[in-house]
């Protein structure tokens, strides 16, 4: 007999993770066991009846800003970074579907042979049918990060919160890896994140979330069961806004 899923206050959420989260202990690329572990985390929340959107960065394969810093023209570098996010999205789709979770990869840059183009009403319908929607290729425009893309898509999809999976269990006043006396916030305002220059998301994403009153929940993706636990009202995390 299956375990009864715990009640959750959220019906539709956005999960934003970095591309680096998929490379495990490697310095580059995809680490299949790590991809599978994250897919299992997503499935555990999907099993609660929550509708899930995802945006995955591309920094494990190519980061536009790094390419630009090495002399590559910024627009070209950003488009290459967008294509990297499509590769990550396809890897996550494969892992989720191996677990029996129906998934759609939806790209802001049309590439019909491998994924769907972004059409808002169609994406909403996929969510209503309990398919996980992975939004790839950022916003489709250079000079915008995947943080901004996640906030934009979360707003368009009427998500109730953005879950930002990181390597630490919330937002700290300084880097907890380098400073033992770092203090974690339980709650912090959008404006404080901006004025204190806390590295939660880039400023455009924070401002867009603030303008749409969209809370950002920062938690550790490395904590097994952390995503599901927070949705069930447990765990350690920081809420930005809300």
């Amino acid at each position: 007999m299956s375990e009864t899923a715990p009640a959750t206050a959220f019906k539709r959420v956005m999960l934003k993770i970095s591309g680096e989260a998929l490379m495990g202990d490697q310095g580059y690329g995809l680490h299949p066991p790590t991809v599978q572990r994250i897919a299992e985390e997503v499935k555990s929340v999907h099993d609660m009846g929550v509708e899930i959107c995802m945006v995955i960065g591309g920094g494990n394969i190519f980061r536009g800003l790094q390419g630009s810093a090495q002399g590559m023209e910024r627009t070209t570098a950003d488009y290459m970074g967008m294509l990297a996010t499509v590769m990550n999205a396809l890897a996550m789709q494969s892992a989720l579907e191996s677990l029996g979770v129906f998934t759609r990869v939806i790209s802001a840059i049309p590439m019909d042979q491998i994924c769907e183009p972004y059409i808002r009403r169609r994406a909403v319908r996929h969510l209503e049918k309990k398919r996980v929607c992975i939004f790839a290729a950022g916003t489709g425009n250079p000079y915008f990060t995947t943080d901004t893309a996640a906030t934009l898509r979360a707003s368009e999809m009427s998500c109730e919160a953005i879950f930002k999976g990181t390597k630490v269990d919330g937002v700290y006043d300084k880097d907890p890896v380098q400073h033992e006396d770092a203090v974690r916030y339980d709650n912090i305002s959008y404006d404080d994140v901006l004025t204190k220059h806390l590295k939660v998301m880039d400023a455009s994403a924070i401002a867009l979330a603030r303008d749409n009153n969209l809370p950002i929940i920062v938690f550790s993706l490395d904590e097994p069961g952390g995503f599901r636990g927070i949705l069930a009202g447990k765990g350690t995390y920081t809420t930005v806004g809300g």
Side-chain angles (χ1 to χ4, degrees):
M1 183 179 295
S2 61
E3 181 184 348
T4 302
T8 172
F10 299 103
K11 299 301 181 186
R12 181 179 295 172
V13 301
M14 166 65 72
L15 174 62
K16 167 62 171 72
I17 61 177
S18 67
E20 286 89 346
L22 303 185
M23 66 186 187
D25 294 330
Q26 301 174 158
Y28 177 84
L30 289 159
H31 183 238
T34 300
V35 176
Q36 195 68 27
R37 179 183 64 78
I38 295 173
E40 289 168 359
E41 294 273 336
V42 173
K43 180 182 185 299
S44 72
V45 171
H46 183 265
D47 289 346
M48 297 169 72
V50 178
E51 297 171 2
I52 303 172
C53 305
M54 292 184 71
V55 168
I56 307 171
N60 57 319
I61 299 171
F62 187 87
R63 184 180 292 278
L65 279 173
Q66 290 176 352
S68 179
Q70 294 171 14
M72 185 176 291
E73 195 269 325
R74 172 67 188 271
T75 302
T76 298
D78 278 357
Y79 278 123
M80 291 174 68
M82 291 180 218
L83 295 179
T85 71
V86 178
M87 296 172 68
N88 285 338
L90 292 171
M92 183 57 64
Q93 179 183 46
S94 177
L96 283 167
E97 294 195 338
S98 75
L99 298 171
V101 178
F102 292 108
T103 310
R104 293 291 186 273
V105 173
I106 301 170
S107 173
I109 298 174
M111 46 188 84
D112 296 344
Q113 287 87 345
I114 57 174
C115 52
E116 293 185 7
Y118 176 67
I119 300 172
R120 189 185 67 84
R121 288 179 178 271
R122 182 187 291 178
V124 169
R125 186 66 181 135
H126 286 320
L127 291 170
E128 292 171 347
K129 291 182 176 181
K130 306 303 179 186
R131 297 165 181 159
V132 173
C133 288
I134 307 175
F135 296 101
T139 66
N141 301 287
Y143 297 95
F144 290 93
T145 67
T146 51
D147 281 344
T148 301
T151 310
L152 174 64
R153 296 294 183 238
S155 300
E156 291 178 297
M157 295 297 107
S158 300
C159 291
E160 294 159 337
I162 299 173
F163 281 74
K164 175 73 182 286
T166 68
K167 291 187 176 295
V168 293
D169 58 354
V171 180
Y172 287 77
D173 62 346
K174 48 191 168 185
D175 189 345
V177 176
Q178 298 181 7
H179 303 276
E180 292 183 0
D181 60 341
V183 177
R184 185 181 60 80
Y185 299 99
D186 287 329
N187 296 276
I188 188 169
S189 70
Y190 304 110
D191 289 339
D192 280 348
V193 168
L194 292 171
T195 57
K196 294 177 187 291
H197 302 288
L198 300 174
K199 296 179 180 179
V200 179
M201 287 181 162
D202 66 82
S204 297
I206 295 294
L208 183 59
R210 179 190 60 196
D211 293 347
N212 289 281
N213 196 28
L214 186 62
I216 303 166
I217 296 170
V218 183
F219 71 105
S220 173
L221 197 65
D222 292 338
E223 182 69 28
F227 187 24
R228 178 185 172 93
I230 294 169
L231 281 153
K234 305 173 184 177
T236 303
Y237 55 91
T238 297
T239 302
V240 179

